[in-house]
Amino acid sequence: MNEYFKEQLDLLKLERRVDEETYEQNIRNTGVQQQRENGFVWYPIAIRGQDTGRGGYVSLEVERTTHQHLIHTLQSGRKAELFSNYNPDEAGAKGIIQHVGGDRLRITLFVDELPDWTRHGKLGIRALFDDDSYDAMELALTTAGNTYDQNRLTRILTGKAVPTFDDSLPPVILPYLNPSQNEAVNKVLSANDLAIVHGPPGTGKTTTLVAATLELLKKTSKPLLAIAPSNTAIDLLCERLAQKGVRVVRIGNPVRVSDELQELTLDHRISVHPDFKRIRELKKRASEFRNMAHKYKRNFGPEERQQRKALFAEAGRISHEVAHLEDFITEDELHRAQVIAATPVGAYHYAIRDLSFDTALIDEAGQALEAACWIPILKVKKVILAGDHLQLPPTVKSEEAARKGLTLTLMEKCAGYHPEATVLLNEQYRMHEKIMYYPSETFYGSRLQAHESVRTQTLFDHDLPLEFIDTAGCGFEEQPVSTSFVNPEEGQLLVTVLFDYLRGLKLENTRSDEITVGVLSPYKQQVERLKSMVTAHPDYANWSSQLTVNTIDGFQGQERDIMVIGMVRSNSEGKTGFLNETRRMNVAMTRARKKLVVIGDSSTLGAQPFYERFITYAQENEFYRSAWEYMDS
């Protein structure tokens, strides 16, 4: 195997081991109630429907009947098990979640009849460790490593060969795109093997990708493979393409999507296919045969046993016929698609596992594990990487793997290998120019420019678009909590500053009912405290539908009119912890459209050059305030 891919495989195995150990500890050392709190379990659940699924397996529709507000990790395609808390030692029935919508899900269990223990109640659904994703990534890396010498695209993506372009194509100029967006579209069209669209915050990356896709589809009758590392990202791309009339088939059932997007899923396409009526009829017949077989009691003679066996056999034969018909419908739907969309691991879905494509578009490639990207890449001759590797990298649980380079994405590597294949979208449509300036200077070589429509936008005349509120000398010291940090005094100041400003908006006669507000902290424990403080404020009711409190990571890809960031860290040693990942602050600062407020201790933050320069920028532009101004008022 090629050495490059052997190293990638070793890093992925480190990550897999830590991920699996973490999962096992969460399950082994906690009861069902804590597992439910951690998002691994729905409990209790009620069975709302039973059917014969693919391959003759039992298909259940279940509903969680309590604790519906809890966030969970159960999603389509994930392995899970039906279990009983009546007798926790009883082995569960394992299966695959087919669909999740609201508080209901459908799961196919790998059994041909429900176990007896399901009659006792106290049932739940538990997410199992996702080893299928790791299996798919490991297989992709192994395949890429073993075919390295025969695959030119692989050598290009690892920096050992140079991408080529067809310069004879006449340029495409789309009037609704700006010059850098048009340049990116033409780079995509002319690329024979690789194009990279670097889209900083607010620069219209999705608009550009949709335009490029429409132009690519004019030149081919083959479907394009569209990939993004999260359901949210791929659903956005699907929605925008569908609005342009593109026939999109979404592989997998994304969690909590709109009705419009559900109509794009492969499952829905199959369900409205003209031949699906025959499937319903066959499933009904198979169910009838199974019900007849189940009517036999436990104590019966050879004749009854033979009859029961014959009924199950007929149900199985019909189920195989259903599976063949489903395969035919699936193939027909995929043949008529213009874009087939999935997450990277979704590209390993049985429906498209053996398909090949001319082109793959990988959106948000700056957030995708490299190993995951190789799953779709091995299916294509040409790849388009789009995203921003200067925002947050993919989440990696193994500190050793992260330290050795697992967080380094394929997009970041390729942008370094092949600047000739890379186009930076340099006009942004989100931020006031003063909010944009420092991230642009620090991360993008001062190449970003603000579009005229947003360049000087503020919420009211003479409002400052940016403020840094310095808590140095106020005694607001951080407090460690488990593996996180909190700063209660800073949190209270943040809430005071926020609601004083919001009260002022009403006095300025702004359309405050249309203003969106975000409150950010890098630390989860501080976020929980901020949520309590914000919701307890007497003015919260006036803003509850417009105000969101979350971690910085939770806000990636979003924007708000007002963003208030509490930095938390305040100590005499100048320790800033994972705030040293300055790409996290790039994300945080670039969420704001018209107003950005950063609250922190300059004596602690200033020990890190990135924050020292930011504080200096605030001072030079009269955006600097001392927290004492707010405490004395």
Side-chain angles (χ1 to χ4, degrees):
M1 179 190 288
N2 174 268
E3 190 62 30
Y4 177 95
F5 287 97
K6 184 180 182 303
E7 290 177 4
Q8 286 293 312
L9 196 57
D10 289 343
L11 293 178
L12 186 64
K13 287 178 178 178
L14 284 174
E15 175 69 1
R16 179 176 188 155
R17 187 177 70 236
V18 171
D19 199 3
E20 190 164 14
E21 288 173 354
T22 302
Y23 172 84
E24 291 297 333
Q25 288 170 4
N26 279 325
I27 296 301
R28 191 187 312 114
N29 300 331
T30 58
V32 67
Q33 286 79 14
Q34 188 59 51
Q35 292 172 27
R36 179 175 61 198
E37 292 289 327
N38 293 341
F40 292 109
V41 161
W42 278 13
Y43 178 84
I45 56 104
I47 297 175
R48 299 305 188 197
Q50 180 178 344
D51 201 350
T52 302
R54 189 178 181 86
Y57 292 128
V58 171
S59 177
L60 292 183
E61 183 172 4
V62 307
E63 180 179 16
R64 62 171 171 175
T65 53
T66 65
H67 298 81
Q68 289 96 335
H69 65 287
L70 293 178
I71 297 172
H72 61 89
T73 60
L74 278 69
Q75 55 185 299
S76 62
R78 179 150 192 181
K79 285 184 177 180
E81 66 176 353
L82 176 71
F83 69 91
S84 170
N85 207 39
Y86 180 82
N87 183 2
D89 296 329
E90 191 79 55
K94 293 180 172 57
I96 297 286
I97 297 173
Q98 301 297 333
H99 172 67
V100 181
D103 294 305
R104 290 200 176 204
L105 66 78
R106 179 165 288 277
I107 183 171
T108 297
L109 301 174
F110 301 140
V111 296
D112 54 16
E113 56 183 313
L114 285 179
D116 291 341
W117 49 259
T118 58
R119 303 190 186 109
H120 300 303
K122 292 191 174 182
L123 301 178
I125 297 286
R126 178 185 290 115
L128 298 176
F129 180 69
D130 186 17
D131 52 7
D132 283 351
S133 294
Y134 283 103
D135 288 345
M137 288 188 284
E138 288 182 11
L139 177 61
L141 290 175
T142 302
T143 303
N146 288 335
T147 59
Y148 183 82
D149 293 332
Q150 294 81 45
N151 192 318
R152 173 175 160 75
L153 179 59
T154 301
R155 296 198 304 278
I156 290 170
L157 296 175
T158 54
K160 300 303 182 184
V162 178
T164 61
F165 301 87
D166 184 356
D167 296 327
S168 67
L169 294 176
V172 172
I173 305 299
L174 302 174
Y176 59 92
L177 298 183
N178 66 42
S180 66
Q181 291 171 334
N182 269 309
E183 182 186 357
V185 169
N186 282 283
K187 183 68 73 175
V188 166
L189 294 176
S190 65
N192 293 320
D193 23 54
L194 172 66
I196 302 170
V197 180
H198 184 185
T203 53
K205 172 177 61 66
T206 302
T207 298
T208 305
L209 295 182
V210 169
T213 300
L214 294 175
E215 294 302 313
L216 284 170
L217 292 175
K218 291 178 182 178
K219 301 177 181 298
T220 181
S221 59
K222 293 184 178 181
L224 180 144
L225 181 60
I227 300 292
S230 69
N231 280 315
T232 301
I234 195 61
D235 288 344
L236 173 61
L237 188 58
C238 287
E239 183 177 23
R240 295 283 295 274
L241 288 168
Q243 288 170 353
K244 295 294 185 179
V246 176
R247 184 174 177 82
V248 180
V249 174
R250 170 74 160 91
I251 301 297
N253 281 311
V255 180
R256 297 190 185 99
V257 298
S258 66
D259 291 340
E260 180 183 2
L261 286 184
Q262 284 288 357
E263 292 176 3
L264 304 180
T265 63
L266 179 60
D267 282 356
H268 179 81
R269 297 280 196 198
I270 291 172
S271 71
V272 297
H273 192 279
D275 291 338
F276 191 73
K277 181 180 178 182
R278 173 67 175 159
I279 287 180
R280 282 198 297 265
E281 293 170 351
L282 289 171
K283 282 187 173 181
K284 183 179 179 182
R285 283 178 55 197
S287 182
E288 288 170 352
F289 280 114
R290 288 181 182 280
N291 289 337
M292 290 167 62
H294 288 144
K295 287 180 181 177
Y296 285 94
K297 304 299 181 185
R298 288 173 179 265
N299 300 316
F300 49 79
E303 187 175 334
E304 288 84 356
R305 185 178 291 108
Q306 193 65 29
Q307 183 66 19
R308 186 175 191 263
K309 184 178 179 181
L311 289 168
F312 273 127
E314 182 60 16
R317 186 195 65 76
I318 294 171
S319 294
H320 283 300
E321 187 178 345
V322 167
H324 286 305
L325 190 52
E326 285 179 336
D327 287 342
F328 167 77
I329 295 174
T330 298
E331 187 177 339
D332 185 49
E333 285 296 331
L334 294 176
H335 178 73
R336 292 189 292 131
Q338 292 177 285
V339 171
I340 295 174
T343 60
V345 173
Y348 193 66
H349 188 277
Y350 74 88
I352 62 170
R353 185 173 299 167
D354 298 324
L355 296 184
S356 59
F357 302 81
D358 284 343
T359 304
L361 187 164
I362 304 180
D363 192 12
E364 300 298 352
Q367 298 174 42
L369 277 178
E370 176 175 347
C373 291
W374 285 104
I375 301 172
I377 287 170
L378 292 176
K379 296 175 175 293
V380 303
K381 303 171 186 174
K382 168 177 169 176
V383 63
I384 303 155
L385 299 175
D388 184 7
H389 51 281
L390 300 175
Q391 294 188 61
L392 282 174
T395 300
V396 170
K397 295 179 181 177
S398 166
E399 292 182 5
E400 182 181 358
R403 189 172 63 252
K404 292 181 176 179
L406 191 61
T407 57
L408 191 61
T409 63
L410 188 63
M411 179 177 179
E412 184 171 359
K413 291 177 182 179
C414 287
Y417 298 148
H418 306 300
E420 73 280 11
T422 306
V423 175
L424 175 75
L425 304 181
N426 62 11
E427 189 167 15
Q428 64 86 15
Y429 299 81
R430 176 183 297 168
M431 294 164 275
H432 189 289
E433 62 180 354
K434 295 297 185 182
I435 298 173
M436 175 201 75
Y437 180 85
Y438 187 69
S440 176
E441 179 187 53
T442 304
F443 295 100
Y444 306 107
S446 298
R447 293 172 64 191
L448 292 190
Q449 57 190 40
H451 187 263
E452 195 59 34
S453 62
V454 301
R455 189 173 64 82
T456 59
Q457 63 176 1
T458 54
L459 289 164
F460 55 88
D461 290 343
H462 309 300
D463 188 27
L464 294 175
L466 171 64
E467 290 183 67
F468 174 73
I469 300 175
D470 189 359
T471 64
C474 295
F476 294 178
E477 292 192 4
E478 66 189 45
Q479 300 172 13
V481 178
S482 184
T483 58
S484 189
F485 288 90
V486 297
N487 192 322
E489 291 90 352
E490 180 194 273
Q492 195 57 61
L493 174 65
L494 184 153
V495 172
T496 299
V497 169
L498 171 65
F499 283 104
D500 282 355
Y501 180 77
L502 295 179
R503 253 185 245 117
L505 286 182
K506 292 188 180 294
L507 295 176
E508 293 288 341
N509 295 317
T510 59
R511 290 296 304 275
S512 56
D513 57 329
E514 297 177 357
I515 293 170
T516 55
V517 186
V519 175
L520 283 176
S521 172
Y523 293 96
K524 290 181 180 179
Q525 293 292 340
Q526 182 78 347
V527 166
E528 294 307 311
R529 296 209 176 197
L530 286 171
K531 285 179 179 178
S532 299
M533 293 177 180
V534 166
T535 54
H537 195 278
D539 288 348
Y540 173 70
N542 299 326
W543 294 92
S544 58
S545 63
Q546 301 155 253
L547 197 159
T548 309
V549 183
N550 208 337
T551 60
I552 295 173
D553 301 45
F555 259 108
Q556 182 149 314
Q558 302 182 48
E559 61 182 58
R560 297 291 188 272
D561 293 311
I562 304 165
M563 293 300 304
V564 185
I565 308 170
M567 301 299 290
V568 178
R569 301 308 299 266
S570 179
N571 55 73
S572 58
E573 297 84 19
K575 293 180 179 178
T576 50
F578 81 162
L579 293 185
N580 290 329
E581 173 54 270
T582 55
R583 287 179 293 186
R584 181 167 279 106
M585 279 308 292
N586 185 28
V587 172
M589 291 177 175
T590 55
R591 301 309 94 198
R593 298 180 65 236
K594 302 176 182 179
K595 180 77 172 183
L596 172 63
V597 180
V598 180
I599 302 175
D601 182 343
S602 65
S603 65
T604 298
L605 297 177
Q608 215 273 12
F610 171 86
Y611 298 105
E612 181 186 28
R613 291 194 303 269
F614 172 68
I615 294 165
T616 300
Y617 170 68
Q619 290 171 329
E620 290 175 348
N621 288 272
E622 298 184 354
F623 299 148
Y624 176 92
R625 298 286 181 271
S626 170
W628 289 106
E629 297 177 33
Y630 297 89
M631 295 166 66
D632 293 339
S633 60

